[in-house]
Amino acid sequence: MKKPRVLVAMSGGVDSSVAAALLVEQGYDVVGAMMKFWSDEELATSCNDESSCCTPTAALEAGWVARQLGIPFELLDYRETFAERIVAPFLAGYAAGRTPNPCVWCNTDVKFDALLEHARAIGAEYVATGHYVRRLEGPAGVELWRGGDAAKDQTYFLWGTPRTALPHLLFPVGHLQKPAVRRLAEARGLITAQKPESQNICFVRGSLRDFLKGHIPGEPGPLVDLESGEVIGEHAGARFYTVGQRKGLGLWKSHLERYVVEVRPETNEVVVGPRAAVEWWGLEAAGLNLLLDPDDLPERVEAMVRYRTRPVGARVLELEPGAGRFRLRFERPQFAVTSGQSVALYAGDRLLGGGFIERAVDNALARAG
């Protein structure tokens, strides 16, 4: 008996290529698809290089892999969806002094929402991706667990996955190590076997600051020292900085060790201070999404406030599922708890959910003083 149809989100990279290959070999009815976010003219000037996941070359490579595997391939026009759900809020976040995380939105609102709708429309039961995430069957249904390659684990970006989507998602390479994925690609002769990984935000050309300057007005302004209140430098535009940033601040005295503590776009000020000023004992978050029943969320969780940081033990002090809000207290202070970024919640290796950081609370420097 033939297995169900699966729509594989192909990016032109090795991970999604191998994901598609494994599903074909397992007997699934596989359809490959790549989401086109820009016109070819925009793509040529909107991506850092050809190793990005959003170039014409990537689309050609994804289509070539599909032909190698003998599966149909679709290039889907998601330009309007991407502009509305990803790029617009990304720019609005920076304009408001926040540091948004577009990869979370892309997974939540595009891959596991809009693309899942398309999958259903073509008779596919599942959407599969090349994410390094393990899909396990738990007592109450599908659970998401950290990937088999700790260095490549991508659960941090998947906390917003709609719980209703979980039964319809597959992660064929989630249990593997990256070198093993490349070996599998080489063994099958896939042209993406040694393709470099994309490290950039897919729609950003060049540096992030240059991209923001091209879309958000910004003027030079004062760098204000948190402790003395004195102006100790000049920034290039408050909206172009993020909490915890140390380099490129525009300090008049370069020997000073200062970090961005607060961005004030309304007054065009950037407040800087010592490292302890950007270490926090807690946070308040909104946009709560849980991958389990609220009553099953443990009081003690492990939290990640930045990608590729070590999780820290934390207590859930407040939880308001109806309002989509929660508050955490860390067991040790965390660096650069940044408004707009994500906090992902775990129990060991299991992803429980998360939210968007609204603000950090209980500053380590203030507590010490």
Side-chain angles (χ1 to χ4, degrees):
M1 180 177 179
K2 193 172 182 64
K3 291 186 177 180
R5 175 169 291 182
V6 181
L7 180 68
V8 180
M10 302 181 70
S11 65
V14 64
D15 302 321
S16 58
S17 298
V18 171
L22 293 176
L23 289 170
V24 169
E25 293 168 11
Q26 292 167 16
Y28 287 95
D29 177 13
V30 179
V31 176
M34 183 172 181
M35 295 174 288
K36 181 178 180 180
F37 299 139
W38 309 98
S39 69
D40 290 344
E41 294 77 13
E42 290 171 319
L43 277 164
T45 59
S46 296
C47 296
N48 292 23
D49 53 51
E50 291 299 333
S51 69
S52 176
C53 64
C54 60
T55 63
T57 298
L60 290 172
E61 290 171 339
W64 185 264
V65 168
R67 286 192 292 275
Q68 286 183 279
L69 299 176
I71 63 174
F73 177 75
E74 301 178 309
L75 188 59
L76 305 174
D77 187 353
Y78 275 54
R79 287 172 291 180
E80 183 176 341
T81 299
F82 195 74
E84 291 179 356
R85 299 192 188 185
I86 311 300
V87 181
F90 177 82
L91 293 172
Y94 268 101
R98 299 189 296 272
T99 305
N101 193 322
C103 296
V104 172
W105 297 333
C106 186
N107 290 318
T108 303
D109 296 332
V110 182
K111 288 188 180 76
F112 302 149
D113 183 8
L115 188 62
L116 186 56
E117 288 184 12
H118 177 73
R120 290 173 177 141
I122 65 169
E125 186 173 332
Y126 301 103
V127 164
T129 74
H131 283 106
Y132 285 85
V133 179
R134 288 180 295 152
R135 176 193 193 272
L136 301 179
E137 291 287 345
V142 175
E143 301 172 355
L144 299 185
W145 288 63
R146 290 188 184 276
D149 190 331
K152 299 297 180 184
D153 170 57
Q154 293 170 300
T155 50
Y156 175 78
F157 300 110
L158 300 186
W159 64 263
T161 302
R163 193 177 175 190
T164 54
L166 293 179
H168 305 285
L169 303 179
L170 298 176
F171 304 102
V173 302
H175 63 292
L176 298 172
Q177 302 279 318
K178 183 75 175 194
V181 172
R182 291 201 183 277
R183 288 194 296 270
L184 289 172
E186 288 179 344
R188 288 155 178 78
L190 302 181
I191 62 169
T192 55
Q194 293 304 322
K195 184 174 181 179
E197 293 185 74
S198 60
Q199 301 291 338
N200 49 293
I201 298 174
C202 66
F203 54 87
V204 173
R205 176 177 180 255
S207 72
L208 176 58
R209 179 173 292 190
D210 287 342
F211 175 79
L212 293 173
K213 285 182 177 179
H215 293 82
I216 302 172
E219 298 292 336
L223 278 174
V224 180
D225 186 79
L226 175 69
E227 295 176 301
S228 69
E230 296 178 356
V231 176
I232 60 173
E234 183 178 77
H235 63 71
R239 294 173 174 86
F240 309 140
Y241 294 79
T242 185
V243 171
Q245 182 175 334
R246 181 184 175 189
K247 297 181 178 179
L249 299 184
L251 293 166
W252 290 331
K253 296 181 179 180
S254 59
H255 69 279
L256 293 174
E257 184 180 81
R258 292 291 184 272
Y259 299 81
V260 173
V261 177
E262 183 183 0
V263 175
R264 298 172 178 171
E266 65 281 357
T267 58
N268 200 31
E269 293 177 308
V270 174
V271 180
V272 298
R275 182 182 174 89
V278 285
E279 294 180 338
W280 302 85
W281 284 92
L283 63 78
E284 294 176 357
L288 170 68
N289 183 67
L290 292 177
L291 303 181
L292 73 174
D293 291 337
D295 290 342
D296 293 332
L297 183 70
E299 181 182 343
R300 185 192 182 276
V301 297
E302 293 176 321
M304 281 181 63
V305 297
R306 301 176 81 85
Y307 183 47
R308 287 181 175 164
T309 58
R310 294 183 63 182
V312 61
R315 296 271 174 196
V316 181
L317 300 183
E318 298 176 15
L319 182 69
E320 302 178 55
R325 304 178 63 84
F326 61 98
R327 182 173 179 176
L328 297 180
R329 176 181 174 78
F330 307 125
E331 293 177 357
R332 61 178 185 273
Q334 294 298 287
F335 177 74
V337 179
T338 308
S339 172
Q341 285 285 295
S342 292
V343 53
L345 307 179
Y346 297 85
D349 286 343
R350 182 188 175 188
L351 178 67
L352 304 179
F356 293 110
I357 299 170
E358 279 205 327
R359 70 186 189 99
V361 297
D362 196 3
N363 179 248
L365 181 65
R367 177 185 283 201

